Amino acid sequence: MGIVSSNAPENDVDESRIKVGKPKKWAAGIPGVAVSLTRGMEQMGAARTVRTLRLLNQREGFDCPGCAWPEPRQADGEHRHIAEFCENGAKAVAEEATKRRVGPSFFAEHSVEELAGKTDYWLGQQGRLTEPMVLREGASHYTPISWDDAFALVAGKLRELADPNEAIFYTSGRTSNEAAFLYQLLVRSFGTNNLPDCSNMCHESSGAALSATTGIGKGSVSLADIHRADLILVVGQNPGTNHPRMLSALERAKAAGAKIIAVNPLPEAGLMRFKNPQKAKGVVGKGTPLADEFAQIRLGGDLAFFQAIGHLLLAQEEAAPGTVVDRAFVDGSTEGFDDYAKQVRDLDWAAVDAATGLPREQIVRIARMIAESERTIYCWAMGLTQHKHAVPTIKEIANLALLRGMIGKPGAGLCPVRGHSNVQGDRTMGIWEKMPEKFMAGLEREFGIKVPRDHGLDTVDSIRAMRDGRGKVFFALGGNFASATPDSSLTETALRSCELTVQVSTKLNRSHVVHGKTALILPTLGRTERDVQASGEQFVTVEDSMSAVHPSRGRLAPASASLRSEVAIVCGLASALLGADHAVPWASLADDYDLIRDRIAGVVPGCDDYNRRVREPDGFVLPHAPRDAREFNGTANGKANFTASPLEFPAIPEGRLLLQTLRSHDQYNTTIYGLSDRYRGIEDGRRVVFVNPGDLTALGFADGEIVDLVSEWRDSERRAEAFRIVSYPTAPGCAAAYFPEANALVALDSVADTSNTPVSKAIVIRLAHRS
Ligand SMILES: Nc1nc2c(c(=O)[nH]1)N[C@H]1C(S)=C(S)[C@@H](COP(=O)(O)OP(=O)(O)OC[C@H]3O[C@@H](n4cnc5c(=O)[nH]c(N)nc54)[C@H](O)[C@@H]3O)O[C@H]1N2
Ligand SMILES: Nc1nc2c(c(=O)[nH]1)N[C@H]1C(S)=C(S)[C@@H](COP(=O)(O)OP(=O)(O)OC[C@H]3O[C@@H](n4cnc5c(=O)[nH]c(N)nc54)[C@H](O)[C@@H]3O)O[C@H]1N2
Ligand SMILES: [Mo]
């Protein structure tokens, strides 16, 4: 069966205009600074640019709405730079603080049908949403609606459902702790655990793997640990684009003597050499070489790679007992070592060769570096989490860390590098379709309510439910569900079959134009904006990738007087849905966020005395037993667990390629800042597919040709049209294209085992000539 996706080549992008230059060999420096200032000026003007960037990531300012990389902490003896932000953080802020507006006259001018024909880039560039808008059943245009009527409309549709489980409540990772806590409370008070979030598509695999091995689904290192490490592995991650401030930390570790190993199918510029724009010599000099080893692995070859390293480490231990395995730690704090050891001793080297494509000598060299390191940190991101075998792959990293005792000691540990700036905090606050019993019991105790225990739907299962008519109301607190999810045409059909779709958003996106029978847009304040409620000016709190919780205070005037904070929107809906006499005092919580924080303290583990501790300089760090005390009380057996996983890797059928979908340097997920991917040498377009030159010759294609990408999944096919081939030094057999344009190619049922994360980094495709 062939499905032609709705992701057709878009009218304002002409792939024949795309310019292709040489990939860069270094990241940041002058172009980075220049780009951040230009983008700021275009969107905000000069005065606002200076004022806004000065407040970014400072103690009195707001948390960068870009990535979750932490800020330096005073308590660790570190200080913040005056400019504690990066080029891409500045772009994220410029997008939000833009002076452009999308108000009622815009919607009167453009029909939804017309808007649906625009690209994500065009939609995002129109500016900030200013008024609540409704699309009535059968109408062609969104029209204004009052907040009260909007809440009544949603509450009415929710009450009409035969079962609360027919409603789905999505969250994206920019939502503050306060809003997230109240949102899950509202959803559970209503009677469902259907709380899918962006994390389901992101680090869910890390959470699943780490919970099983260390008992806690979060990373075990601080920023100070990174600075102190003697060996850092950066695996399946492109920090130069997605976590640029991480480069400063890597540079500092290097200056103190650390070695860096990059494992990636692409020679990403940011992994090779870094010019620190915060230092004079970084702006004009040659910069710091970063990676000491670049292992150009094949897509999905990491499980085999880490098993091979385990194999070599154990062989070395056998040759010289007591030199590699941290016996005291392994015997005292872990279980499962023998099964793991047996599994990796019987390694199939032919499978390792096929899976990784790496020279044997390089794997041996890297194993030696790991054996000799006293303080190793493993960092990873989407290159590991979005594979069918993502969870066992991450468990394999944990095996290596445990074997060498690299957890719960300074300068060592596990570092899943989170994406959205508060995605980790949202989880801590209860945004999860399967929160543990302790949390649920805490909610009931604190508020005197009943909350359901049946697990809810995650992102993929939510799409299935909407497709099958079991999901009828879809509500999103942020994000862009229609574009971020797999199988674009199927997901769009699923959303369109809903009775009601509601988007709480800052900016226009595809999810507003791929809508249910009735649709609402509820415009909200962004991170950068002043939030004034009945008791005065408010701040919110967020948690970074290293479990540090701290305040974020918006300082700019709101984009429109009609905007409401996410907290106020959740409380407004809750009052309309649950009534004024509900056990939770919704109205007063919205008036004073300190009252929300008192409730967080009463429910969320590790958040005691929350109001006081978030007000300390740099806030506080949440407890993490393995990191703090080498205790593993979160696992069933109270030990850290080795795991023995079968060697698995994606096969590449004859004449086919494996495709990964990734981010350009000029986007934030589905928000497209511009059409440039500077480090990879691409300008003026996004519909490109990067292919190894050897593969092009073998398959009979050439650089510059416009082709269709056809994915093959079981007995079905999906097609994304008109991509310009770019001959590129990616690992053989492994192609790449940008997310979200290539999401149409990801089959809904192609998911990671255990975590149910869409497999966005290993899609079997063929290139097709266009007739
Ligand atoms: N500016 C900016 N910052 C962002 C974002 C953004 O879109 N723009 N997004 C945020 C979010 S939500 C997230 S989750 C993070 C994402 O941060 P990343 O995970 O860095 O994002 P991707 O672009 O998906 O890049 C994946 C990287 O992994 C490599 N890779 C792919 N498959 C494999 C594999 O099988 N093995 C190995 N070893 N490597 C592989 C790719 O070549 C690429 O370098 O960034 C966050 N920060
Ligand atoms: N093929 C493929 N698919 C992927 C990925 C991939 O690598 N490949 N990556 C996955 C990953 S890691 C993630 S995290 C997801 C991201 O999925 P999402 O989080 O759903 O998507 P975003 O593009 O980050 O959401 C952008 C929208 O959020 C809204 N927004 C921005 N700021 C705020 C705010 O402060 N409040 C509110 N209420 N709204 C706001 C704006 O309207 C904007 O249009 O996508 C996933 N999808
Ligand atoms: Mo993410």
Side-chain angles (χ1 to χ4, degrees):
M1 182 182 57
I3 300 171
V4 176
S5 89
S6 62
N7 185 26
E10 288 140 319
N11 44 20
D12 60 351
V13 181
D14 175 1
E15 44 293 325
S16 62
R17 278 209 315 261
I18 297 174
K19 294 195 207 62
V20 177
K22 275 221 176 88
K24 304 285 179 293
K25 295 203 163 60
W26 50 270
I30 283 181
V33 177
V35 170
S36 56
L37 290 178
T38 333
R39 286 298 160 74
M41 309 276 260
E42 280 165 17
Q43 300 266 0
M44 304 186 277
R48 201 164 156 96
T49 300
V50 173
R51 199 150 52 92
T52 308
L53 294 183
R54 255 189 38 223
L55 288 164
L56 188 48
N57 286 337
Q58 297 303 317
R59 264 181 212 108
E60 289 308 305
F62 44 84
D63 185 58
C64 180
C67 76
W69 189 255
E71 286 83 45
R73 295 174 50 77
Q74 221 170 38
D76 297 331
E78 315 240 332
H79 69 279
R80 295 186 187 199
H81 291 277
I82 297 172
E84 194 59 59
F85 64 87
C86 68
E87 172 192 351
N88 280 343
K91 288 187 210 160
V93 166
E95 279 284 315
E96 184 175 301
T98 180
K99 287 182 163 171
R100 302 176 194 158
R101 297 289 178 265
V102 172
S105 59
F106 173 91
F107 286 106
E109 220 170 280
H110 303 280
S111 71
V112 176
E113 195 187 343
E114 180 199 337
L115 294 174
K118 302 290 190 186
T119 60
D120 290 279
Y121 177 46
W122 189 94
L123 292 173
Q125 288 303 306
Q126 303 312 303
R128 288 287 301 275
L129 296 159
T130 61
E131 303 285 333
M133 303 296 294
V134 65
L135 183 69
R136 308 264 177 206
E137 195 164 346
S140 59
H141 290 70
Y142 274 99
T143 49
I145 182 172
S146 73
W147 280 103
D148 284 348
D149 289 349
F151 293 141
L153 193 161
V154 183
K157 291 277 184 199
L158 287 172
R159 275 196 225 99
E160 275 170 24
L161 295 174
D163 181 332
N165 291 315
E166 291 177 346
I168 293 163
F169 297 88
Y170 178 71
T171 316
S172 168
R174 271 193 193 173
T175 292
S176 66
N177 283 351
E178 287 75 5
F181 180 76
L182 291 184
Y183 184 56
Q184 61 82 32
L185 181 63
L186 158 65
V187 171
R188 294 191 163 112
S189 300
F190 174 60
T192 178
N193 282 309
N194 286 347
L195 282 158
D197 69 345
C198 65
S199 199
N200 298 144
M201 299 178 271
C202 186
H203 267 292
E204 197 69 56
S205 306
S206 305
L210 294 179
S211 302
T213 54
T214 69
I216 175 165
K218 298 181 179 180
S220 76
V221 301
S222 68
L223 190 53
D225 287 322
I226 304 258
H227 298 151
R228 249 174 256 158
D230 67 21
L231 181 65
I232 302 172
L233 284 92
V234 183
V235 190
Q237 200 202 336
N238 179 22
T241 286
N242 298 312
H243 304 90
R245 285 178 301 122
M246 179 176 173
L247 298 187
S248 312
L250 293 178
E251 183 194 40
R252 190 158 151 196
K254 269 225 83 138
K259 296 252 186 305
I260 293 173
I261 299 171
V263 185
N264 201 307
L266 297 176
E268 305 283 28
L271 295 169
M272 301 304 151
R273 191 174 271 276
F274 175 48
K275 299 190 182 187
N276 189 340
Q278 289 167 348
K279 291 185 183 165
K281 78 173 190 328
V283 175
V284 292
K286 282 171 64 185
T288 315
L290 283 177
D292 297 274
E293 283 285 347
F294 168 52
Q296 188 164 29
I297 198 163
R298 293 204 169 136
L299 289 168
D302 305 82
L303 174 74
F305 173 70
F306 289 115
Q307 286 196 348
I309 297 207
H311 174 92
L312 293 166
L313 293 181
L314 291 184
Q316 194 175 330
E317 172 75 11
E318 258 158 44
T323 55
V324 178
V325 176
D326 183 340
R327 263 294 149 201
F329 176 71
V330 170
D331 293 344
S333 305
T334 74
E335 253 180 37
F337 177 78
D338 292 342
D339 288 346
Y340 164 70
K342 181 172 180 322
Q343 172 79 27
V344 296
R345 269 196 199 105
D346 298 341
L347 188 75
D348 174 356
W349 274 107
V352 173
D353 294 341
T356 66
L358 295 173
R360 189 81 53 91
E361 321 78 76
Q362 187 177 35
I363 303 180
V364 170
R365 267 198 321 270
I366 292 172
R368 203 173 301 130
M369 290 165 81
I370 291 175
E372 285 167 5
S373 159
E374 298 293 324
R375 295 177 306 282
T376 315
I377 290 180
Y378 296 88
C379 301
W380 71 89
M382 297 305 102
L384 292 196
T385 64
Q386 298 174 334
H387 281 286
K388 176 177 180 296
H389 56 315
V391 175
T393 301
I394 296 160
K395 285 182 171 172
E396 218 55 66
I397 291 188
N399 284 335
L400 293 184
L402 294 178
L403 183 143
R404 297 274 302 126
M406 292 296 165
I407 187 157
K409 78 175 194 184
L414 299 167
C415 182
V417 182
R418 302 279 161 183
H420 267 299
S421 51
N422 197 40
V423 63
Q424 188 161 317
D426 290 346
R427 221 10 111 72
T428 305
M429 293 297 131
I431 302 294
W432 197 22
E433 69 280 358
K434 43 186 183 210
M435 280 307 275
E437 175 55 30
K438 192 173 168 204
F439 184 91
M440 303 300 219
L443 283 179
E444 294 192 334
R445 197 182 52 240
E446 176 72 25
F447 295 102
I449 53 170
K450 281 263 160 262
V451 302
R453 297 302 201 278
D454 292 345
H455 288 175
L457 301 170
D458 64 10
T459 293
V460 165
D461 285 336
S462 292
I463 298 169
R464 291 182 177 136
M466 289 186 274
R467 175 196 61 192
D468 300 342
R470 288 177 286 118
K472 295 182 176 155
V473 172
F474 177 85
F475 188 104
L477 191 58
N480 182 4
F481 194 87
S483 279
T485 48
D487 227 332
S488 311
S489 64
L490 186 156
T491 299
E492 293 189 1
T493 311
L495 284 166
R496 289 185 192 286
S497 75
C498 287
E499 290 300 320
L500 172 70
T501 51
V502 186
Q503 305 288 334
V504 179
S505 312
T506 52
K507 305 204 60 179
L508 193 63
N509 66 42
R510 181 142 322 271
S511 301
H512 304 122
V513 294
V514 176
H515 52 82
K517 288 177 194 142
T518 304
L520 275 169
I521 301 175
L522 303 180
T524 190
L525 293 174
R527 261 309 150 72
T528 54
E529 289 164 319
R530 214 176 297 126
D531 181 354
V532 181
Q533 303 296 338
S535 69
E537 199 164 311
Q538 309 293 317
F539 68 87
V540 294
T541 54
V542 290
E543 175 185 343
D544 67 31
S545 192
M546 297 182 181
S547 306
V549 179
H550 61 87
S552 174
R553 283 183 192 81
R555 288 305 180 85
L556 303 180
S560 139
S562 309
L563 299 186
R564 293 212 180 161
S565 73
E566 291 186 342
V567 165
I569 293 171
V570 170
C571 292
L573 174 59
S575 300
L577 179 64
L578 305 168
D581 54 354
H582 188 247
V584 180
W586 296 103
S588 53
L589 292 174
D591 287 347
D592 180 356
Y593 296 2
D594 271 353
L595 301 180
I596 309 172
R597 285 185 280 270
D598 285 340
R599 301 304 194 124
I600 289 174
V603 176
V604 183
C607 290
D608 335 64
D609 209 5
Y610 195 69
N611 261 312
R612 185 185 60 77
R613 288 198 295 156
V614 296
R615 285 176 162 88
E616 305 211 320
D618 300 330
F620 71 99
V621 179
L622 283 163
H624 185 291
R627 178 197 66 205
D628 303 336
R630 278 202 159 182
E631 280 173 8
F632 300 93
N633 46 23
T635 58
N637 55 2
K639 302 267 185 179
N641 291 307
F642 282 92
T643 34
S645 309
L647 198 163
E648 185 183 343
F649 64 97
I652 310 179
E654 186 63 33
R656 306 295 186 265
L657 297 167
L658 268 188
L659 178 82
Q660 64 157 320
T661 56
L662 42 50
R663 292 153 175 82
S664 79
H665 193 63
D666 220 2
Q667 72 184 86
Y668 193 93
N669 299 336
T670 69
T671 300
I672 312 302
Y673 301 141
L675 301 177
S676 153
D677 193 9
R678 197 170 80 236
Y679 294 153
R680 299 193 187 107
I682 305 300
E683 297 295 335
D684 295 338
R686 293 179 47 84
R687 298 188 81 86
V688 292
V689 57
F690 299 97
V691 187
N692 179 287
D695 290 325
L696 284 180
T697 313
L699 296 172
F701 290 85
D703 180 86
E705 191 176 338
I706 311 291
V707 292
D708 289 350
L709 309 182
V710 183
S711 73
E712 301 174 355
W713 164 255
R714 295 188 182 155
D715 56 358
S716 64
E717 290 191 347
R718 288 163 185 74
R719 180 179 289 259
E721 288 180 57
F723 285 73
R724 182 202 191 280
I725 292 178
V726 175
S727 174
Y728 199 84
T730 170
C734 302
Y738 300 131
F739 141 62
E741 284 79 355
N743 285 38
L745 299 169
V746 186
L748 184 66
D749 292 337
S750 175
V751 291
D753 300 332
T754 311
S755 65
N756 218 25
T757 294
V759 176
S760 305
K761 296 285 194 271
I763 308 159
V764 173
I765 61 156
R766 60 172 196 270
L767 305 178
H769 296 286
R770 281 165 73 76
S771 41

